[in-house]
Amino acid sequence: MRPRVFITRNVPGEDALARLRASCDVTIGTYSSILTAEEILHGAREADALLCLLTDRIDAALLTQCARLRVIASCSVGVDHIDLAAATQRGIPVGHTPGVLTETTADLAFALLLAAARRIGEADRFVRTRQWTLARRWEPDLLLGKDLFGATLGIVGLGAIGQAVARRAQGFGMRVLAWNRTPKCVEGVECVSFNTLLAESDFVSLHVALGAETKQLIDEAALARMQPGAVLVNTARGAVVDQGALVSALRSGKLAAAGLDVFEQEPLETDSPLLQLENVVLAPHIGSASDATRRRMTAASVENLLAGLTGKPLPHCANPTVYAVKNP
Ligand code: NAP
Ligand code: GLV
């Protein structure tokens, strides 16, 4: 019998999906918004394999009810939406998509950094709201921002995306500091303690995975240690930052600006104070959103699923200890 695969929502990449369909019965959820737990269960209950998105919460309660499930592939690098321990305990390898989205996400982080530094959002609103009048044709002090050249960038989490951001910063003539849980040697990057990074950086960009240890890593105390007038960029996960403390730091002027692609709650609440702040550039979690990268992510997810369904190790497994559990 052909394995059954449930894909929670349609994903770009017809070629890769055709490869999957060649050997599997594929069902794709027709939901136009984020799936509820019931909707995921409805599709996954009888499935041998699940392709999910970062918006799909895959917890122990769901896994218990999906007795046939042999492999999960998330079309994302981050896997904080999946209970990895529960999957491992059930012998289910969980695939993800590192590498293929590194440069695209680093581009977005750098775009936010530039936009926040040079006040591009404010400038755009200034022109659109017809404030750019003949009387104000060119003003010596209009929308003054911060230079990147010669400034110090602190990278929190020197993984694949952190390193790709470091390469961009070097091209812009920045001094690059980094803090990483596991000390790492990367050319042109000075590895420093977390507190030194906060104290010395004009710009701080976050690239750690979200887990118990990194939740609210940037809290009130960390923000207080940052340079007055520093800029914070977050393309990692919203919960890495205490959003309330960030709003206070942006309001008080402790931080000059922030560029944010990720939030504690997504979508951002309609009454979020962040929406009222001029000195924030906001994006709706689009770090990996280029057509080519999204197709590569689907292809990587399909490779993970096909490997799992044929009993092979996943090319990119987020819970490799599952194999030790399976073969003690
Ligand atoms: P990666 O290469 O695996 O890097 C992960 C980084 O997080 C490493 O520096 C790692 O440190 C650190 N880390 C993991 N667990 C930690 C912990 N408990 N304490 C401290 N540091 C920890 O992953 P990546 O491809 O660079 O992606 C990084 C993150 O970016 C993803 O997890 C995801 O949340 C986010 N992301 C967002 C978007 C977006 O659309 N905005 C797109 C892609 C990725 P070690 O070197 O010590 O392991
Ligand atoms: C995006 O946020 C990802 O983790 O791939």
Side-chain angles (χ1 to χ4, degrees):
M1 205 167 92
R2 283 157 60 94
R4 294 180 202 157
V5 178
F6 177 55
I7 302 180
T8 56
R9 284 182 69 180
N10 205 10
V11 283
E14 219 11 81
D15 293 0
L17 294 176
R19 269 203 308 285
L20 196 59
R21 284 198 187 91
S23 58
C24 307
D25 290 337
V26 177
T27 306
I28 303 183
T30 51
Y31 309 99
S32 59
S33 73
I34 293 173
L35 276 71
T36 62
E38 291 71 31
E39 288 166 341
I40 299 173
L41 179 62
H42 180 74
R45 194 195 294 273
E46 299 301 327
D48 300 286
L50 170 67
L51 195 161
C52 65
L53 307 181
L54 58 84
T55 44
D56 301 320
R57 189 137 297 283
I58 310 298
D59 57 17
L62 178 99
L63 293 175
T64 310
Q65 297 174 79
C66 300
R68 295 175 60 108
L69 211 53
R70 284 187 275 148
V71 56
I72 298 171
S74 184
C75 201
S76 63
V77 64
V79 284
D80 46 284
H81 55 296
I82 301 177
D83 186 335
L84 288 184
T88 305
Q89 207 183 9
R90 298 186 69 82
I92 302 173
V94 176
H96 65 149
T97 64
V100 293
L101 44 55
T102 299
E103 301 298 335
T104 303
T105 308
D107 280 349
L108 195 270
F110 222 78
L112 288 175
L113 195 151
L114 277 166
R118 295 302 303 274
R119 306 174 61 180
I120 302 294
E122 286 172 82
D124 183 77
R125 290 190 288 278
F126 181 81
V127 176
R128 284 178 196 280
T129 54
R130 309 280 191 271
Q131 294 176 69
W132 195 28
T133 56
L134 207 49
R136 305 186 71 183
R137 206 183 90 181
W138 191 88
E139 292 179 304
D141 58 353
L142 179 65
L143 289 165
L144 301 184
K146 289 169 72 82
D147 284 323
L148 267 61
F149 180 80
T152 299
L153 169 67
I155 294 178
V156 175
L158 198 55
I161 299 171
Q163 290 180 43
V165 169
R167 290 193 292 276
R168 284 156 179 74
Q170 286 157 0
F172 275 75
M174 301 181 88
R175 173 187 176 218
V176 184
L177 307 180
W179 170 78
N180 200 60
R181 168 182 64 171
T182 323
K184 258 183 196 160
C185 246
V186 170
E187 208 185 325
V189 178
E190 296 169 51
C191 280
V192 295
S193 71
F194 183 60
N195 285 346
T196 302
L197 180 144
L198 295 176
E200 294 193 10
S201 299
D202 304 294
F203 298 85
V204 172
S205 191
L206 307 178
H207 300 289
V208 284
L210 175 62
E213 297 87 5
T214 56
K215 194 167 179 195
Q216 302 220 334
L217 183 66
I218 304 297
D219 57 7
E220 197 182 341
L223 289 164
R225 282 192 205 103
M226 287 174 68
Q227 288 272 339
V231 171
L232 181 73
V233 173
N234 188 8
T235 56
R237 282 290 182 269
V240 173
V241 177
D242 176 341
Q243 208 163 280
L246 174 62
V247 167
S248 301
L250 287 162
R251 273 191 184 136
S252 70
K254 166 72 191 180
L255 291 191
L260 308 173
D261 184 45
V262 288
F263 304 89
E264 276 177 351
Q265 199 177 307
E266 295 180 8
L268 192 57
E269 309 93 307
T270 50
D271 61 351
S272 169
L274 284 170
L275 294 167
Q276 307 303 325
L277 295 175
E278 282 291 328
N279 54 346
V280 187
V281 184
L282 303 167
H285 203 147
I286 53 165
S288 64
S290 77
D291 183 53
T293 288
R294 287 287 161 84
R295 287 171 192 280
R296 282 194 289 263
M297 289 166 70
T298 301
S301 303
V302 165
E303 294 317 315
N304 278 329
L305 287 186
L306 289 173
L309 285 170
T310 49
K312 296 186 187 129
L314 309 195
H316 296 290
C317 186
N319 61 338
T321 56
V322 72
Y323 298 114
V325 173
K326 272 184 167 172
N327 310 300

